[in-house]
Amino acid sequence: CSSDLIPPDRSEELPRLLEEVGKGARILTFETKRLAKGGSRIDVSLTISPIKDDLGKTIRAVVVAHDITDRKRAEDELYQSNQKLQAILDSIPHRVFWKDRNLAFLGCNKTFAMDAGLRNAGEIIGKRDSELSWRASASQFEADDRLIMERESPRLHYDERQSKPDGTLLWVRTSKLPLRDRAGNVAGVLGTYEDITERKQAEEALRISESRYRLLFERNLAGVFRSAPDGRVTVCNQSAAHILGYGSAEEVLALRMKDIYYSPETRAGLVDRLIAERSLTGVELKLRRRDGSAVWV
């Protein structure tokens, strides 16, 4: 009996469909579950067609069933795999996207979609760079993509600017590589980037700070020098060179502290005090000038 093949929770499906067929309808494809001999459930695809008499009245129905359990299992596994992959992509800080050969987006992760001004990753499918928040740079981005596909080689870890939805600019570090199909032919582009704006701002702030320090150091009227524990002179400004009777700071850098202090014991004692007290001010020292004369500082 056909009812023996129907799981209890779906017992009304087939009778309802047969009733519709009895009214002249034709169910072309219908996926459902059925009970196998051992009681396990299998997935089947049904095609139900009415058989009519000479008067056009439906007198019976033909049901063709195909076991699609393996296909459904593969689809479920693929779906679960895709869900896991999407969860991973959405949890990492890097932005990820992929395009086809025509440079239409095939997918991305959540953070990329937000940068693009979209509500979710699904909205990216089929769009081009010219439709997203960085449309002003679309031609440049797509030129890079074409070059990667033509050369069939990746371009890794390069910095570029990118617009946010609010119009402000990001610094991003980008990597792109060609996507290939099963035959090994280039089928598109896979790309990732990370937001390095804060890093760039910190680097620029450091550069400005170092530039200001260098300017202050070089133009300071007071003599400034730095020495290593072993007595090497590592840094010296022009004022210090002048005080010591040298024509340039470079000449002083070739010296050792024993060439500058009149007494080695004086420097040793000074270093001991500095280690103990961490900072010294107002210390008067007798140093040796280039011509051997003394200068008090």
Side-chain angles (χ1 to χ4, degrees), residues 40-82:
S40 61
R41 295 191 179 202
I42 61 172
D43 292 287
V44 296
S45 174
L46 301 178
T47 299
I48 307 176
S49 303
I51 296 179
K52 300 180 181 182
D53 59 18
D54 294 339
L55 300 176
K57 180 180 178 181
T58 300
I59 56 176
R60 64 175 61 89
V62 175
V63 181
V64 179
H66 295 279
D67 185 347
I68 59 171
T69 305
D70 290 341
R71 192 197 81 193
K72 294 294 287 186
R73 183 182 299 114
E75 289 177 352
D76 289 343
E77 290 174 354
L78 178 61
Y79 175 79
Q80 293 296 330
S81 177
N82 287 339

Side-chain angles (χ1 to χ4, degrees), residues 221-288:
L221 295 178
V224 183
F225 66 87
R226 185 169 67 214
S227 62
D230 63 5
R232 289 176 295 112
V233 181
T234 58
V235 174
C236 176
N237 70 352
Q238 190 60 36
S239 293
H242 177 73
I243 291 171
L244 295 171
Y246 291 88
S248 69
E250 288 71 20
E251 293 179 83
V252 179
L253 295 178
L255 303 176
R256 310 283 290 192
M257 294 310 294
K258 64 181 180 62
D259 302 317
I260 298 176
Y261 278 79
Y262 252 92
S263 169
E265 293 78 12
T266 301
R267 180 174 188 269
L270 185 67
V271 171
D272 290 342
R273 285 183 58 196
L274 185 59
I275 292 173
E277 301 178 32
R278 303 187 65 83
S279 177
L280 299 175
T281 58
V283 178
E284 296 184 357
L285 295 175
K286 183 182 179 183
L287 302 180
R288 179 185 290 111

